[in-house]
Amino acid sequence: ADLEAGLKCSDDAAVHEVTSVKSKTWFYRGQLYTKVFQEKTLKAKYPNAGVEAANAFIKLNDLKDPKFKDWEEANRYIGAISIDLYNQGAEYYDAKNYAQAAKLWTFTKNLNSVLEMHKGTQVFKTCDLLTNIAQALDAANDNAAATSSMEEAYKACPDSVKYLPNLIYLNKKSGNKERAMELVDLGLSKQPSNAALLSEKINVFLSKGDVLGGLAFVNNLIQVDPKNDQAYVIKGLAYDSLSRSESLLAANKLTKDAAIDSMVTSYKKSIEINPGNATANNNLGKIFIDKANLLITKSNSLGNSSADTKLYDELQVKIKQHYEEGFPYLEKAFQLDPNNPDIKRSYNQVKIKLGK
């Protein structure tokens, strides 16, 4: 009852032409609404109490009153309401009310700034709050505001690369690929072994169809993230491109067979890390199809001499061996992704050849 009576007086003071410009008005208002927000029964009756408390302390700061000397006490209330608003925002986020979560976390961020200005103990790191706000806004499909919040986070903590992946993602999502790539290169200049940034750089090359261009970055990624099965798939694709170009093989001082061996090794390593990688299984199986097809072409060019007939029979054995070696991988890929047309085609082709 006393708190509610105090709220009535505070509401009147907040709009009165004399008291509305006094720092004590907003200090007491912030205290009152913080206490209401923390009192379970009253919180249900005044659901906006936390926001009212936050607005009161923000107004107190905006007044810039040199005569106000109670910042140490004010900071204790600001710290308390900051935690309460953050937790309420998390509840909204879990309930998928992302816009409301972003709103409450924005109040927390603004209060955090007030604490910083008046030498209070900051409960949260501003950059982390801005990141949370950006994630909530992104989930609420407000990409422009989410990107703006993430840009602010990066500017607030320019030496920290950990905020860049989210900012890169948001810029890519909004179609600003140029800015995204600028951020990737900026991040790698600071942390050349950052796995998330290396993955982004590799994706740039892949989006351009330049698998070979990304090979150096793939090797760097494997060094820092040796359990990344997809990196080995990309490495396999790079060697596939190499194996199909005489000029590239010569430039890299590789034979075609050596490039194919590197493909096999890469895909096998990917499968070793993650047996459920359908692409690695399919690509490895197709290598053996290609080996069989080369022998089929060779066998079809043979004549009718006894030597050719003998060689033909030997080639048929090897062709079957290649199919049998590749089939388990193709079968696994089909089990993992039966609706993929490329996987389905390769699997059925070898299944028929082996009479299964």
Side-chain angles (χ1 to χ4, degrees):
D2 290 342
L3 281 176
E4 289 189 278
L7 292 183
K8 177 65 172 66
C9 293
S10 177
D11 290 343
D12 291 340
V15 296
H16 192 278
E17 60 181 17
V18 176
T19 53
S20 64
V21 294
K22 292 185 179 294
S23 56
K24 289 291 185 180
T25 297
W26 299 101
F27 173 52
Y28 292 137
R29 182 174 178 82
Q31 286 181 310
L32 278 168
Y33 272 104
T34 299
K35 290 175 180 178
V36 168
F37 189 75
Q38 293 176 336
E39 209 285 311
K40 189 173 181 181
T41 305
L42 288 177
K43 180 181 177 180
K45 190 173 180 180
Y46 299 94
N48 292 323
V51 171
E52 291 291 346
N55 278 327
F57 288 121
I58 291 167
K59 177 68 175 178
L60 171 62
N61 179 66
D62 291 345
L63 287 173
K64 295 181 172 60
D65 181 3
K67 295 180 181 180
F68 183 73
K69 304 299 182 184
D70 295 321
W71 274 112
E72 187 175 343
E73 186 177 358
N75 285 340
R76 286 198 294 270
Y77 280 91
I78 293 170
I81 198 65
S82 294
I83 295 171
D84 291 337
L85 285 173
Y86 181 88
N87 290 338
Q88 189 178 43
E91 290 172 7
Y92 276 115
Y93 190 92
D94 290 341
K96 297 186 172 20
N97 190 340
Y98 303 117
Q100 186 64 16
K103 178 182 175 181
L104 293 178
W105 286 340
T106 299
F107 275 114
T108 305
K109 185 261 295 184
N110 293 339
L111 291 172
N112 212 48
S113 299
V114 174
L115 286 170
E116 183 179 16
M117 280 186 270
H118 298 285
K119 300 179 181 179
T121 302
Q122 288 180 280
V123 183
F124 304 100
K125 190 174 181 180
T126 299
C127 304
D128 292 338
L129 286 171
L130 286 162
T131 301
N132 286 352
I133 293 165
Q135 289 175 338
L137 289 167
D138 179 43
N141 296 315
D142 191 346
N143 184 257
T147 304
S148 177
S149 181
M150 210 59 239
E151 288 279 8
E152 192 180 344
Y154 182 59
K155 286 174 185 174
C157 299
D159 295 328
S160 181
V161 174
K162 79 172 187 175
Y163 302 103
L164 281 176
N166 280 338
L167 184 53
I168 291 164
Y169 156 76
L170 289 168
N171 274 283
K172 285 167 63 178
K173 187 176 180 180
S174 63
N176 193 353
K177 293 182 180 178
E178 208 170 287
R179 172 62 174 158
M181 293 310 100
E182 175 189 325
L183 291 166
V184 170
D185 290 336
L186 181 62
L188 286 173
S189 71
K190 295 179 179 181
Q191 284 189 11
S193 297
N194 185 290
L197 295 175
L198 284 169
S199 295
E200 288 290 349
K201 188 68 176 180
I202 292 163
N203 286 335
V204 175
F205 288 100
L206 293 180
S207 67
K208 296 176 181 177
D210 183 7
V211 180
L212 279 176
L215 184 55
F217 293 97
V218 170
N219 287 330
N220 288 344
L221 177 57
I222 287 170
Q223 279 189 334
V224 298
D225 187 9
K227 294 297 183 182
N228 190 322
D229 60 301
Q230 196 58 30
Y232 283 99
V233 170
I234 298 168
K235 188 170 184 176
L237 291 171
Y239 279 109
D240 187 19
S241 295
L242 271 171
S243 71
R244 298 174 192 276
S245 169
E246 292 296 333
S247 61
L248 288 174
L249 286 169
N252 287 274
K253 298 179 181 180
L254 279 174
T255 63
K256 186 180 179 70
D257 285 343
I260 292 172
D261 286 344
S262 293
M263 286 167 60
V264 171
T265 300
S266 298
Y267 292 136
K268 281 186 175 180
K269 185 63 179 178
S270 177
I271 294 166
E272 177 188 322
I273 295 166
N274 176 18
N277 191 314
T279 302
N281 277 283
N282 185 52
N283 289 2
L284 181 55
K286 286 169 69 175
I287 291 173
F288 295 104
I289 292 180
D290 289 342
K291 286 183 176 183
N293 287 340
L294 285 173
L295 295 183
I296 289 170
T297 301
K298 184 176 180 179
S299 67
N300 288 341
S301 68
L302 296 174
N304 295 319
S305 68
S306 58
D308 280 358
T309 300
K310 181 183 177 184
L311 179 57
Y312 180 88
D313 291 340
E314 291 171 353
L315 290 174
Q316 297 309 303
V317 173
K318 289 181 180 179
I319 289 168
K320 186 178 180 183
Q321 286 175 344
H322 285 319
Y323 282 142
E324 288 176 338
E325 195 170 355
F327 184 72
Y329 299 110
L330 297 171
E331 185 176 40
K332 180 67 173 179
F334 181 72
Q335 289 169 353
L336 292 166
D337 191 4
N339 295 318
N340 184 302
D342 179 52
I343 289 175
K344 189 175 184 178
R345 181 170 55 253
S346 301
Y347 168 68
N348 284 332
Q349 177 187 345
V350 177
K351 185 179 178 183
I352 290 168
K353 292 286 186 182
L354 292 174
K356 292 182 178 289

